[in-house]
Structure formats: C-alpha cells, structure tokens
Amino acid sequence: MAADSVHSTYPPKLSPAQEQFLVSTIKDWTIEHGLTVRPPVTFVSQEAVSKGVLATNAPVTLFPSPFPKACFEEARAAQKVYNELYARITMDEKWLGEVIEELIDVDDFVAELWKVHLAVQKQGYVQDLSLGLFRSDYMPHTLSGSQTSSLKQVEFNTISSSFGGLSSRVAALHSELLTSPPGHSLSYPAHPLFDGRVPPENTAVETLSAGLAAAHQAYGPSKSTPPLPLCILFVVQEGERNIFDQLALSTRLSSFHKISVFRLITSEILDRTSIAENNPLRPLIYNPPHAENSPFEVTTVYLRSFYAPTDYKSDRDWSARLQLELSAAIKCPTVLNQLSGCKKIQQVLADPNRPDHLSRFVPTEETQEQLRRTFAPQYDLSSNSRGRELALNPERAALHVLKPQREGGGNNIYKDAIPAFLRSMPESDWKGWVLMELIQPPTEASNVVLRSDGEVVSGNVVGELGIFGTILWKSNGEILHNEEGGWLMRTKGKESNEGGVAAGFSSLDSVILY
Amino acid sequence: MAADSVHSTYPPKLSPAQEQFLVSTIKDWTIEHGLTVRPPVTFVSQEAVSKGVLATNAPVTLFPSPFPKACFEEARAAQKVYNELYARITMDEKWLGEVIEELIDVDDFVAELWKVHLAVQKQGYVQDLSLGLFRSDYMPHTLSGSQTSSLKQVEFNTISSSFGGLSSRVAALHSELLTSPPGHSLSYPAHPLFDGRVPPENTAVETLSAGLAAAHQAYGPSKSTPPLPLCILFVVQEGERNIFDQLALSTRLSSFHKISVFRLITSEILDRTSIAENNPLRPLIYNPPHAENSPFEVTTVYLRSFYAPTDYKSDRDWSARLQLELSAAIKCPTVLNQLSGCKKIQQVLADPNRPDHLSRFVPTEETQEQLRRTFAPQYDLSSNSRGRELALNPERAALHVLKPQREGGGNNIYKDAIPAFLRSMPESDWKGWVLMELIQPPTEASNVVLRSDGEVVSGNVVGELGIFGTILWKSNGEILHNEEGGWLMRTKGKESNEGGVAAGFSSLDSVILY
C-alpha cells in the first residue's frame, strides 16, 4: 500500500458521540493503568502540584499511527548491530577522544564530561563493565508519489532513553480499543487498516529491566568488608513529571527480578552515597534515608538525570557525577558512553564525503550496509567541505536541517533559513553545527491527540519510531548481553517540526503496521 | 495476644525521613497502580476538575491495621450464610412486605421503591433470576481488658457495595511495603506484628466479577428477534469520583470473562435503553451512543447508582428505575433485594426481645447461631418496648446509638444525647429510628492516613471490616451461585464516629491478622 493512500483516509472521521466516547474512555484507561504524568504547573496551581499527589494522562493519540511494516522490521533488525556499534565506539577511547576533542571549545557540556573521564582515568577505572540502555529513533522517509518508504535514523540515544514504560501502555491502550467490546470492536469507527490488526507486542519494560538485571548479576558479589546487600540505584531529577515511565522499570526489577532498587535525586548523591575509604575496589555505598543503619552496595547506576547541562546546577553536581564514575558500580551509561551519543559522532559516521569509519566498529560489509541504509547524509561545515557548500546554497539548504551540537543549546534551523543564519555568526563557530539532509515523513499523516490538560487537538503529524536495545560489555571487547526489544512511537504536531511556532503537540502513540 | 497490647505499640513510630519515604512511595504507587479517585473540587479548581483528566490517590492508611484473626475468619465463614439469608428474605415477598409497609409513612424513599415493586408486580415480573453483590460490615467488639474480641455486624449492604476494586489494591500496596526491598523489608520500621506477615489474599475483584459473569451466563441466549449481542450494563452516577473502583470490575469482565460492558449514567437510561415493543419477554435493549447501529441486549444491570434518594432527581429517574425493573435483564439488585438491606430489617432480625425470624430463612440451628453471634442487639422504639426503655434511660442510652431508618436522612445520635433527642420529636416519629447497642472497637487503635489532598493525618482510629459475597438465585428458591471472597478494611478517624465534629478522616486500609 502506498503511504499516501494509507494516510489520505486515516484516521477515520469521528462523530461527536464517537469522539466523546473515545476521549472519556482514554481519560479513564490512562489513570487506571498508570499511563500518567504529574501535571504541569501550567494546568494545576503550584500549590496543588506541590502536594505531589495529582496525576493526569500522558499525552496520547486517540488512534495508533500507520507505519510501514518493512521499515519497522528493518529498524528492529538493526538494533543489535547498533547496540554493538555504540559499545565499540565507547571502548575505542582513542577514536572517540579525537572526535570529542574537536568539540571541546564549542561545547562546554562535552568539555566538562570529558574532564570527568580524564579525572577518572587518572585514578584508573575500577569497573570494566558498561551497560547501555539505548533507543534508536527513525522516520520513514517517504518521497511523494513513491510506493515505498525507506527507514532513516533521526538520532541515537545513549543516555536516559525514556518512554519504554509508558510506550508499552499506549500499545496496550490502542490494542484494547481495537478489540473492544470483546468480539465486536466498536470503540473505533470501522477502517480497512483495523481489520484484524493490533499494534505489535511491546516488550520495552521487560527488555530494559532485563538489561539492568543482567548488569546487576554480572557485578558479582559485594566488594565490601563485611559484604553488603546489593541494589540498583536510579539517579533522577527532582520533581520529575515523567516518573511513572521510570517506575515501570523499577517495579519490574523488584517484583520480577527481586532486585532492590532505590531512587536518588542528583542533589542528594553526595549526601547519600560514598566510596568506601581504604577499599581499592571502590564499591559505591548507598545509605537509604529511611533505614540509616542498612547501607547497600550499588551494583548499577541507572541515570535518568545528568543527561543535559541543566542537570548540573553547580560544581557539586559535577563532583557527584565524578563520584559515581569513580566507583565500582556499573554505569548506565558511563561518561564515555554518554559522549558516544553526541550528534557529532552520528555525523562522522553518516558523512558520505568523509572516510568510512563504520568498518572500524562493525564486523561485516553486510552489517555495515545494514546501518548505512538507515543514515540520512550528515555533514560538518569545515572550509571547502561539501557540508558548507550545501548549507550556503539556498536551493540545496532547502533540503536540510542545521542542528546544534551543543546540548540544550537551542533549536534546529530549517531549510531556507540556514544560509542567513550561518552568515550571522563567525565562521569559527560553525563547527558547533551539523548539517543533515531532511528526512521526509509522509505529508498527509494525521491523528488526534488527548493532551495532559484534557484538550483534544487534531491535525497533521510527524511520527518518530524508537527501538529499544540493551547491551552489557567488558572493556576488553567481550559482549555479555545484547538484546533488542520494545519500541516507542512519538507523534508530534507538524508545526513544531517546521521551525515555525511551537503550537503543536508531542504525544505518545503506537503503530499499526501496513 | 490481647487487643489492647497489640494496639498500644502500633503502628511503629516513624522518623521524619521514614515518614517522608513512606508517603512519597505511596503517592507514586497509588498512581502507578490505579489506587486512585478523581480529585474533589475542594482540592482542585472546578475548571481543572471539569477537564476530567486529573486523579489523586484514594485516601489510604500508611500501615495495615491489626485485626483479630479469629474474627476475620468468622466473618468470612458467615458470608455465604448471610448471602443466602438476604436472598431468602428477598424471595419472601410477604414477610418483606410486612416489614416494609411499616416504614412507608416514615420513609419516602422506601415508599417510592415499594411503589416500583408494586408497579412491576402488576405487569408481572419477567425475570426470575436475581443477583446480589453484597458486603457485610463488622467491627471487633473489644471490651477493655478482655483478651478476645467478638465479631459484631455494623450493617449489611445489598446495593452498590463498593470498594472491592480499590481494596484489593490497598492490600497489594501494604504487602509490597511489608516485603520491600525484596529480601530486606526496610520500608517500615521493624515491628513484631510484621514478622513474616502480609495482608491475606484479597480476591474482591475476581469474586465480584465472577458473580456478574455468572448472571450474564445464566441469562441465556438473546430474547430478541433477530438475536442481539449481549452485554452487562453498569448504571452509574454522573461525575463519579470513585470510578476506578468500578472500572476494576468492568476491566476484569472484559479482559478475563470476555463480556461486553457498558457504563450508563442514570439520567441517560431512558435515552439509551428501551424495552422491545411487542416482545412479551421484555429484553432490555441498549444503544451505545458511539455505535448507533449496534444495539446490545442487556443481560445484567449492575447498579452503582440509585441507592440513595439523591440519585433520583426527578420523576424521570423513577421512570428509569421502573424501566430497568420491568425488563428481562437480571438486576443487581432488584428493588426488593435493595429493600431487604433496610436498617429496619437488620433490627427485626437482631432484636433479642422479639420473636425469632432467623429460623424462617436460615436452615439449621447451627447456622442461625452462627449469624446470631454477630448481631449487636437492636431495638425498635414502640410503646412499652425494651428499646424505648433503654433509649430514655440516660445510663442505658449511654451504651447505644440511635440510627435513622430514613436513607440519607441525617446522622446517628450517640449515647447521652439520645433521650433528649427523642423527647424533642413527636412519639409518632419514633418508629423512624432504630436503637442499637454500641459496638466497642479497640480504644487504642491508631494509624496514619495519606489523604487525597496530600495531607498526612494520624490519630486514633476505628476500623470496619467488610466481607464481599455474591449470590445468584431463582425466585423459586433455587440458588445457582453462592460465593464469598474479598474484603475491605475501612478506617476512620475516631472523632467522626463519636458524633462530634467530623474532623476525622475515612480511608482505605488493609489488615494484618493476629
């Protein structure tokens, strides 16, 4: 089926009574099943929010979005290769260091992270295991009139890859709506795409938790004298609104894997954790505030914070990150693994005009080609480069997006706006930017979204598919665990992707494969 | 263990860090697991509430409450006998009618319900099956200094017996807190009562849903021509804040029993349901607003509304009730079964100075005695009666509570206040009241409650244990299904039970048996 024809009749029109039924069913289902977020202060008063008890539905689409089956399967098939690619980049400190050092004077955040690595290196790393919980994000590149789409990677996430927990629940919500009431399927109006179809199984929670459990297991016995009980530590942001996504993993770890999990906000790391003095193995000790005399030894630090510059409010936060990195706990991720997720790395790998690097990390030509097919061309802007040529030519620029390397450093610049934007800054700053060929998702895709404040918005959308994967490796190159499983469909109002006013919406979705 | 000594050291004291941990864990757990209610307008603005998306935790105790094991088992053991008692009272229209007719001129609500019965009787009942989802509520009567408690019934509910859904989740919450982190149990401070104990299994959702499913099954094939698909209809109040309790049952019915369930608010019954004309079997047809051309035939009407006078806002609501009652749908409950739950019926059964009625309904002396042991003495206030004597004597009145028969008609009058209260009204109104010996729960019981607005309140409490049961019977006396299963512990701040200012709290709880 051509993407255009799929989207032109989708989603089916809703009568007011049908919309009312769907919206109220979803409002109730989300709360019943924990498909929730804490409400923003824009919706509920600061006073009510401060009580910490209110919740509302995560923003979700009323309908699952059609997605090409071949692209979905291609993305899944590539995940374990991607896992290994990023593990091997992380192990290759020399290669990684050369790319990162180029960024140090244009990206303070990268520079600070690199300093943490150097400080740990000085004392010596005591943990040779690393854990990655990754998510590779894609769009189906769909040229107008074409019968098929090709899968293109938008970005690869090596830290705090989120929405595994909630995404599984959205798939369950849409599956239930597609098949209810039992035997009759009347919740949605009839549509050919719905005939017998439900979203594919989504094992994100099981997969991500199993990755953390594998690290916990691989850590081995306590390194403390006397030995301490072991735990996994989730390092989180204060006032996290997306907490229920994270709890899906910790609940699975404690109920299924029988592993102790604690949550710790970044500002309390130095108060609550310590590295045992005089123990060259440097076990990381966690003291729960509610059980002062029951210290635990941390096998695995799972970061759901520390991924953005804003997570480091002072030097104390950098000291906290350093303490974690120095310790014997397995980090998910290490500083080096976090750095491997820089946009610059993705550009270096995907630059069609630069020497090939993929063969350094990916074993066979076949698997290299498997990844290369998912790359959208990306360029740096160095003098006389192809990237600079494309970016300054208005006609060619129109097919591209300019992305800042600097984390949290601002928004993307789109199409015609690129040449003037570049000319407004000194050329010496250009190396802080990456030029990427625009991926063209289906133009007619649309959906209806229930926002967290109860408003219902419909319109043209762009969907991004994320595939989750986990990998546990030793610095000597040995890979102990490499799994793929679970996915995320995130759907955004089209305006917000065009560099226009951010009047759009971003919501959790699922897929119907066609 | 004597009740006094159990309660004197319970619950264990919490340090501020321990309380903070427990409270924040419960705030998150409740939302993650749907142990939730819609927030009241006293906490969140009307505007935010009107969006229908916000939720907050149901009010819950931080700790499970100690409850005598023997009393818990006695209550469970009596449930199937109670189920049958109330089924047989409902079948005995003559006996029931005699008691109800005494109330007609003091209780408008009872009078209106009786009129519905008479109207249906005139046309003839077409459905000889009735379903009861009951809850029998108890307190452990605990005399000071006594080593044991005896189980006493507070009331028996024959309509809209609620909190089965949420109660199961509270038991799960407390069980998880008692055993977390896995293998260490550090969420609570240590206490002898916790050693290896968790709340007993709570199968309320499974039991109540299985009762509804049994009725659906027993209804048989469609009575319509041509036959229609079958469904269960939940009749509910508009703006129900306790909706997640109800959804636990409908979710189980659709996901496990594969039965179609629809929710319908009382004001829409006449718009959305009809009795097929010219069909003497009177099947009840439901037209879903979101699927206009897909009518369903209702096998079972489950009332979570229509239990209080305030649920009938106009004659139209009474017509709606009549339509349901006239139809071939199995009612849970029928008007007669609802009336069997009057306080007056309980008084007649439990009056030690009146002729015995129990033997009329309960087969053996042994089972009669089993029930009688759970009765607190109850009296009417007719002239020269024992009840009147006790109520007017200040010293004896101090051991009693005066309960209005009239549903929704005001509060209970306690102890010394009874004689003066009675003297302030004409004697002709006294038959609207029932005098009941006060049940004396353990005086030192205390607990800590997390309210729905996030406030934490602690103090002396009174707990009420409810046992759920379901029964499906034929008007000819045949009993098709009689089950017991699941329980509710509801814990109230003591002030609210003493006739004082209602500054207390009422919350969902679970039990630790001792």
Side-chain angles (χ1 to χ4, degrees):
Chain A
M1 221 177 317
D4 279 2
S5 63
V6 166
H7 291 287
S8 62
T9 64
Y10 193 89
K13 290 267 170 302
L14 295 172
S15 72
Q18 285 169 332
E19 177 174 313
Q20 212 250 307
F21 172 80
L22 269 183
V23 167
S24 75
T25 299
I26 294 174
K27 284 176 178 176
D28 294 334
W29 195 101
T30 49
I31 300 295
E32 188 188 2
H33 295 83
L35 177 45
T36 47
V37 293
R38 294 292 183 193
V41 287
T42 48
F43 176 38
V44 176
S45 72
Q46 176 59 50
E47 196 200 335
V49 164
S50 73
K51 306 285 188 175
V53 291
L54 289 171
T56 179
N57 60 282
V60 290
T61 57
L62 266 52
F63 299 91
S65 282
F67 196 89
K69 190 173 184 191
C71 289
F72 185 83
E73 285 170 356
E74 188 183 351
R76 288 195 57 184
Q79 188 60 34
K80 287 164 77 169
V81 186
Y82 265 122
N83 288 347
E84 187 169 338
L85 167 64
Y86 279 89
R88 298 224 177 268
I89 288 174
T90 305
M91 289 176 220
D92 196 337
E93 197 191 308
K94 184 171 164 293
W95 186 90
L96 180 62
E98 282 169 16
V99 180
I100 296 302
E101 275 172 358
E102 274 188 57
L103 296 175
I104 283 177
D105 57 326
V106 290
D107 191 328
D108 300 339
F109 184 54
V110 165
E112 289 295 327
L113 287 170
W114 189 247
K115 274 201 263 176
V116 172
H117 161 62
L118 294 177
V120 180
Q121 199 177 39
K122 219 164 148 185
Q123 299 195 40
Y125 278 92
V126 289
Q127 178 55 265
D128 62 354
L129 291 168
S130 289
L131 176 68
L133 263 55
F134 299 150
R135 200 188 67 221
S136 184
D137 292 340
Y138 304 91
M139 289 202 291
H141 185 55
T142 310
L143 296 175
S144 178
S146 161
Q147 289 295 305
T148 55
S149 303
S150 58
L151 183 76
K152 293 296 170 191
Q153 189 180 54
V154 178
E155 61 175 350
F156 191 87
N157 304 282
T158 58
I159 183 168
S160 302
S161 308
S162 58
F163 293 123
L166 297 190
S167 175
S168 309
R169 292 178 189 156
V170 183
L173 164 68
H174 287 158
S175 294
E176 197 172 312
L177 289 172
L178 283 163
T179 56
S180 69
H184 299 286
S185 301
L186 297 170
S187 295
Y188 290 125
H191 189 279
L193 259 189
F194 292 155
D195 290 345
R197 288 194 181 89
V198 291
E201 192 185 19
N202 192 338
T203 59
V205 173
E206 292 84 344
T207 303
L208 296 173
S209 305
L212 288 161
H216 181 81
Q217 193 64 32
Y219 181 87
S222 169
K223 304 175 198 297
S224 306
T225 321
L228 291 176
L230 304 176
C231 74
I232 294 178
L233 195 63
F234 279 34
V235 170
V236 300
Q237 296 174 334
E238 187 159 14
E240 171 67 76
R241 290 184 46 228
N242 192 28
I243 180 171
F244 303 104
D245 182 51
Q246 303 171 357
L247 291 176
L249 303 189
S250 49
T251 295
R252 171 89 182 167
L253 283 167
S254 57
S255 67
F256 180 80
H257 295 284
K258 305 295 175 199
I259 295 172
S260 300
V261 179
F262 297 98
R263 293 173 63 81
L264 183 61
I265 59 174
T266 49
S267 62
E268 293 182 1
I269 292 172
L270 294 179
D271 303 325
R272 289 282 141 211
T273 72
S274 56
I275 292 178
E277 268 179 51
N278 303 324
N279 184 336
L281 301 175
R282 292 190 225 144
L284 182 67
I285 311 306
Y286 170 67
N287 286 287
H290 58 286
E292 288 279 5
N293 302 318
S294 299
F296 280 72
E297 182 174 327
V298 180
T299 63
T300 310
V301 171
Y302 176 45
L303 297 185
R304 291 295 290 257
S305 178
F306 277 163
Y307 56 85
T310 47
D311 291 326
Y312 302 80
K313 297 189 181 8
S314 68
D315 286 349
R316 199 166 175 273
D317 292 321
W318 282 109
S319 301
R321 181 73 193 266
L322 176 62
Q323 172 155 302
L324 301 180
E325 199 74 12
L326 274 170
S327 80
I330 299 170
K331 271 73 68 181
C332 177
T334 60
V335 161
L336 290 181
N337 190 213
Q338 177 174 359
L339 286 169
S340 76
C342 276
K343 292 197 187 75
K344 179 72 187 171
I345 301 281
Q346 290 162 44
Q347 179 259 308
V348 168
L349 295 173
D351 192 332
N353 290 85
R354 297 282 166 187
D356 170 68
H357 294 282
L358 219 45
S359 57
R360 187 182 178 101
F361 305 110
V362 178
T364 67
E365 276 189 36
E366 195 190 353
T367 46
Q368 290 161 27
E369 189 45 38
Q370 187 181 9
L371 299 192
R372 216 172 269 122
R373 269 199 303 273
T374 68
F375 293 161
Q378 298 189 37
Y379 308 90
D380 67 40
L381 302 174
S382 54
S383 7
N384 301 319
S385 70
R386 175 81 177 141
R388 186 173 289 204
E389 194 186 315
L390 295 169
L392 296 177
N393 176 334
E395 209 170 299
R396 307 307 299 268
L399 299 171
H400 291 83
V401 52
L402 189 68
K403 292 173 155 189
Q405 164 55 43
R406 187 189 290 262
E407 290 289 337
N411 294 317
N412 294 345
I413 308 298
Y414 287 87
K415 302 181 178 181
D416 327 0
I418 296 172
F421 178 81
L422 281 175
R423 291 208 181 89
S424 72
M425 72 168 96
E427 277 187 31
S428 57
D429 288 355
W430 290 12
K431 69 174 165 174
W433 296 81
V434 163
L435 188 78
M436 180 175 173
E437 203 171 293
L438 270 174
I439 305 171
Q440 295 180 28
T443 50
E444 291 199 53
S446 71
N447 210 324
V448 187
V449 167
L450 171 65
R451 299 194 318 203
S452 288
D453 62 1
E455 295 297 320
V456 176
V457 188
S458 62
N460 266 164
V461 296
V462 174
E464 241 179 75
L465 175 77
I467 301 288
F468 292 101
T470 65
I471 184 165
L472 177 68
W473 71 91
K474 256 197 180 135
S475 53
N476 68 4
E478 189 188 344
I479 287 171
L480 284 75
H481 173 106
N482 183 7
E483 298 293 341
E484 169 273 329
W487 46 271
L488 161 70
M489 185 70 180
R490 199 152 36 154
T491 287
K492 294 177 187 176
K494 212 158 182 189
E495 301 79 1
S496 63
N497 216 37
E498 296 278 324
V501 185
F505 44 80
S506 172
S507 65
L508 300 175
D509 195 351
S510 77
V511 293
I512 286 283
L513 301 180
Y514 69 90
Chain B
M1 221 177 321
D4 278 3
S5 63
V6 165
H7 291 287
S8 62
T9 64
Y10 193 89
K13 288 266 169 304
L14 294 173
S15 71
Q18 285 168 332
E19 178 174 313
Q20 212 249 308
F21 172 80
L22 269 182
V23 167
S24 75
T25 300
I26 294 174
K27 285 176 179 177
D28 294 335
W29 195 99
T30 49
I31 300 295
E32 189 188 0
H33 295 84
L35 176 45
T36 45
V37 293
R38 294 291 182 194
V41 286
T42 49
F43 176 38
V44 175
S45 72
Q46 176 60 52
E47 196 201 336
V49 164
S50 72
K51 306 285 186 171
V53 290
L54 289 170
T56 180
N57 60 282
V60 289
T61 57
L62 266 52
F63 298 92
S65 282
F67 196 89
K69 189 173 184 185
C71 289
F72 185 83
E73 285 168 357
E74 188 183 351
R76 288 195 57 183
Q79 187 61 35
K80 286 164 76 169
V81 186
Y82 265 122
N83 288 347
E84 186 168 340
L85 167 63
Y86 279 89
R88 298 222 177 270
I89 288 173
T90 305
M91 290 177 223
D92 196 335
E93 195 189 309
K94 183 170 167 293
W95 186 90
L96 180 62
E98 281 168 18
V99 180
I100 295 303
E101 276 173 356
E102 273 188 57
L103 296 177
I104 282 176
D105 56 328
V106 291
D107 191 328
D108 301 339
F109 185 55
V110 165
E112 288 296 325
L113 286 171
W114 189 247
K115 273 201 266 176
V116 172
H117 161 62
L118 294 177
V120 180
Q121 200 177 38
K122 219 164 151 184
Q123 299 195 41
Y125 278 92
V126 288
Q127 177 56 266
D128 63 354
L129 291 167
S130 289
L131 176 68
L133 263 53
F134 299 151
R135 201 189 67 221
S136 184
D137 291 340
Y138 304 91
M139 289 202 287
H141 185 56
T142 309
L143 295 175
S144 179
S146 160
Q147 289 296 303
T148 56
S149 303
S150 58
L151 183 77
K152 293 293 172 195
Q153 188 180 55
V154 178
E155 61 174 351
F156 192 87
N157 304 282
T158 59
I159 183 168
S160 302
S161 307
S162 58
F163 292 122
L166 297 189
S167 175
S168 309
R169 291 178 189 158
V170 183
L173 164 67
H174 287 158
S175 294
E176 197 172 312
L177 289 172
L178 283 164
T179 55
S180 70
H184 299 285
S185 300
L186 297 170
S187 295
Y188 290 126
H191 189 278
L193 259 188
F194 291 155
D195 290 346
R197 288 192 181 88
V198 290
E201 191 183 21
N202 192 337
T203 60
V205 173
E206 293 84 343
T207 302
L208 297 172
S209 305
L212 288 161
H216 181 80
Q217 193 64 32
Y219 180 87
S222 169
K223 303 175 198 298
S224 306
T225 320
L228 291 177
L230 305 176
C231 73
I232 294 179
L233 195 62
F234 280 34
V235 170
V236 300
Q237 296 174 336
E238 186 158 18
E240 172 66 78
R241 291 185 46 228
N242 193 30
I243 180 172
F244 303 103
D245 182 52
Q246 303 171 355
L247 291 177
L249 303 189
S250 49
T251 295
R252 171 91 181 164
L253 283 167
S254 58
S255 67
F256 180 80
H257 296 283
K258 306 293 175 199
I259 295 172
S260 300
V261 180
F262 297 98
R263 293 173 62 81
L264 183 61
I265 60 174
T266 48
S267 61
E268 293 181 0
I269 292 172
L270 294 180
D271 302 324
R272 290 281 142 212
T273 73
S274 57
I275 293 178
E277 268 178 52
N278 304 324
N279 185 335
L281 301 175
R282 289 189 229 144
L284 182 67
I285 311 305
Y286 170 68
N287 286 288
H290 59 286
E292 288 279 5
N293 301 318
S294 300
F296 280 72
E297 181 174 329
V298 180
T299 64
T300 309
V301 171
Y302 176 46
L303 297 184
R304 290 296 290 258
S305 178
F306 277 163
Y307 56 84
T310 46
D311 291 326
Y312 302 81
K313 296 188 184 6
S314 69
D315 286 350
R316 200 164 177 273
D317 292 322
W318 283 108
S319 302
R321 182 73 193 265
L322 177 61
Q323 173 155 302
L324 301 181
E325 201 74 13
L326 274 170
S327 80
I330 299 170
K331 270 72 68 182
C332 176
T334 61
V335 162
L336 289 181
N337 190 214
Q338 177 175 359
L339 286 168
S340 76
C342 276
K343 292 196 186 74
K344 179 72 188 171
I345 301 281
Q346 290 161 46
Q347 179 260 308
V348 167
L349 296 173
D351 192 332
N353 290 84
R354 296 284 166 186
D356 171 68
H357 294 282
L358 221 44
S359 57
R360 187 181 178 99
F361 304 110
V362 178
T364 68
E365 275 188 38
E366 195 190 352
T367 46
Q368 289 161 30
E369 188 45 39
Q370 186 182 10
L371 299 191
R372 216 173 268 120
R373 270 199 304 273
T374 68
F375 291 161
Q378 298 189 37
Y379 309 89
D380 67 40
L381 301 173
S382 54
S383 10
N384 300 319
S385 70
R386 175 82 177 137
R388 186 173 288 208
E389 194 186 315
L390 295 169
L392 296 177
N393 176 332
E395 210 169 300
R396 306 306 300 270
L399 299 172
H400 290 82
V401 53
L402 190 68
K403 292 173 152 189
Q405 163 54 44
R406 187 188 288 262
E407 290 290 337
N411 294 316
N412 294 344
I413 309 299
Y414 287 87
K415 301 180 179 182
D416 328 359
I418 296 172
F421 178 81
L422 281 175
R423 291 207 183 89
S424 72
M425 71 169 100
E427 277 188 31
S428 57
D429 288 354
W430 290 12
K431 68 173 166 173
W433 296 80
V434 163
L435 188 77
M436 179 176 175
E437 204 171 291
L438 271 175
I439 306 172
Q440 295 180 29
T443 50
E444 292 198 54
S446 71
N447 210 324
V448 187
V449 167
L450 172 64
R451 299 194 319 204
S452 287
D453 62 0
E455 295 297 319
V456 177
V457 188
S458 62
N460 268 162
V461 295
V462 174
E464 241 179 74
L465 175 77
I467 301 289
F468 291 101
T470 64
I471 185 165
L472 177 69
W473 71 91
K474 257 198 177 134
S475 54
N476 67 4
E478 189 188 345
I479 288 172
L480 284 75
H481 173 104
N482 183 6
E483 297 295 338
E484 169 273 328
W487 46 272
L488 162 69
M489 185 71 181
R490 198 152 37 155
T491 288
K492 294 176 186 178
K494 211 158 180 186
E495 299 80 359
S496 62
N497 216 37
E498 295 277 325
V501 185
F505 44 82
S506 171
S507 65
L508 300 174
D509 195 353
S510 77
V511 293
I512 285 285
L513 301 179
Y514 69 89

